[in-house]
Amino acid sequence: MSMSAPLPTNAADEPAADLAEVTRQVGQAKSSFYTAMRFLPEDRRNGMYAIYAFCREVDDIADEPAAQADKQRGLAAWRAEIEAIYAGRPATLMVGRALVGPIRQFGLEKADFHAVIDGMAMDAERDIVAPDAAELDLYCDRVASAVGRLSVRVFGPYEPHADEVAEHLGRALQLTNILRDVDEDAERGRLYLPREGLERHGIATRVPAEVAAHPAIHAVCAELAVEAERRFRLADAAMAQCARKTMRPARMMSGVYGAILTRLLKRGWAYPRTPVKVPKLVKIWIALTRVFF
């Protein structure tokens, strides 16, 4: 595996205060991610927390109610931070400093950090509304599979099939998010359902709220769910080619999001919809079975 740029060597690698703050932020988020990562050894867990904090930082920039120019400046600052880290210059942002050590220790690729930023830029530049299939796939690769490519290098020793896990599981998780958040996205003026699906089922409007309430939306979402299920299967097949211990966090995330998708399919997408969540006890059961069995 080749590195994108010289490894950082500055002495400010992972200051204790930065790591403590990153851990606090991740814990406050109360996400499935936090639970999944707690089973990792400390150095790998810290690396994943730093990656998660980076993703939250750039995601918050894209989603904040600010002028587009301000969002672009915020994302540009992160592009410059990533370039500085890989050039061996001191990181200036708290989360950037927490990333320095994991980048060096686990051989994280610069291109993947930039891909995540580019994905957030797609949301920051305009509200995404009914992208075509190619644009939707690019978006999923940037905001989810690129995160997966960073993550599998931290989970354990890098394996040939690890990037396949990242490619398919990242898309499966993101498509599940899209299917779960149709109403929330519509309230924000966004619509991630593919244009081809809308056309195929006779939905002419591109107003997100109108699409969300359209009688044919169930058919569009059901088609997208088939693709999400396919990606879960491909991810499982790739994980089976990797060391079981290495892929524990990936299996846990797959289990939780697979349960969400199952509940979405059972509920359907007829309007109005009730929110779908996985109960905490179910998440704990998934975590235990995917770690120890």
Side-chain angles (χ1 to χ4, degrees), residues 3-9 82-89 103-104 108 110:
M3 286 300 297
S4 303
L7 294 173
T9 57
I82 295 301
E83 288 295 328
I85 292 171
Y86 278 88
R89 299 192 298 272
I103 285 173
R104 182 181 64 246
L108 307 183
K110 179 172 70 170

Side-chain angles (χ1 to χ4, degrees), residues 4-23:
S4 303
L7 294 173
T9 57
N10 53 299
D13 294 357
E14 295 190 322
D18 295 330
L19 279 176
E21 177 60 17
V22 163
T23 300

Side-chain angles (χ1 to χ4, degrees), residues 7 15 17 31 44 62 66 77 89 103 111 117 151 169 193 197 213 219 221 256 282:
L7 294 173
S31 68
R44 296 185 183 278
R89 299 192 298 272
I103 285 173
I117 297 170
S151 300
L169 185 57
L193 300 179
C221 290
V256 171
V282 174

Side-chain angles (χ1 to χ4, degrees), residues 21-32:
E21 177 60 17
V22 163
T23 300
R24 185 190 68 80
Q25 290 179 5
V26 176
Q28 280 188 333
K30 298 180 180 179
S31 68
S32 303

Side-chain angles (χ1 to χ4, degrees), residues 66-150:
Q68 187 182 109
D70 292 334
K71 295 183 180 184
Q72 290 175 341
R73 277 193 291 271
L75 294 175
W78 262 109
R79 288 191 180 96
E81 181 82 336
I82 295 301
E83 288 295 328
I85 292 171
Y86 278 88
R89 299 192 298 272
T92 59
L93 303 175
M94 184 271 291
V95 174
R97 292 192 297 270
L99 281 170
V100 171
I103 285 173
R104 182 181 64 246
Q105 182 177 354
F106 303 117
L108 307 183
E109 294 283 352
K110 179 172 70 170
D112 291 326
F113 285 106
H114 280 304
V116 175
I117 297 170
D118 290 342
M120 301 307 171
M122 293 173 73
D123 275 324
E125 290 166 0
R126 60 180 175 83
D127 289 327
I128 295 178
V129 175
D132 62 29
E135 182 182 5
L136 176 60
D137 188 66
L138 176 63
Y139 177 79
C140 290
D141 182 78
R142 287 174 169 176
V143 303
S145 294
V147 179
R149 291 191 291 272
L150 293 169

Side-chain angles (χ1 to χ4, degrees), residues 9-75:
T9 57
N10 53 299
D13 294 357
E14 295 190 322
D18 295 330
L19 279 176
E21 177 60 17
V22 163
T23 300
R24 185 190 68 80
Q25 290 179 5
V26 176
Q28 280 188 333
K30 298 180 180 179
S31 68
S32 303
F33 175 93
Y34 181 70
T35 301
M37 298 311 123
R38 290 180 69 182
F39 290 94
L40 289 170
E42 184 177 10
D43 59 340
R44 296 185 183 278
R45 183 171 66 245
N46 288 338
M48 287 306 306
Y49 287 170
I51 290 171
Y52 180 88
F54 159 75
C55 293
R56 287 297 300 266
E57 290 256 331
V58 294
D59 183 59
D60 287 347
I61 292 171
D63 284 346
E64 65 183 350
Q68 187 182 109
D70 292 334
K71 295 183 180 184
Q72 290 175 341
R73 277 193 291 271
L75 294 175

Side-chain angles (χ1 to χ4, degrees), residues 194-214:
R195 183 185 312 160
E196 294 89 341
L198 301 180
E199 293 172 349
R200 192 158 43 246
H201 295 286
I203 302 179
T205 181
R206 294 296 179 265
V207 178
E210 293 177 1
V211 174
H214 197 285

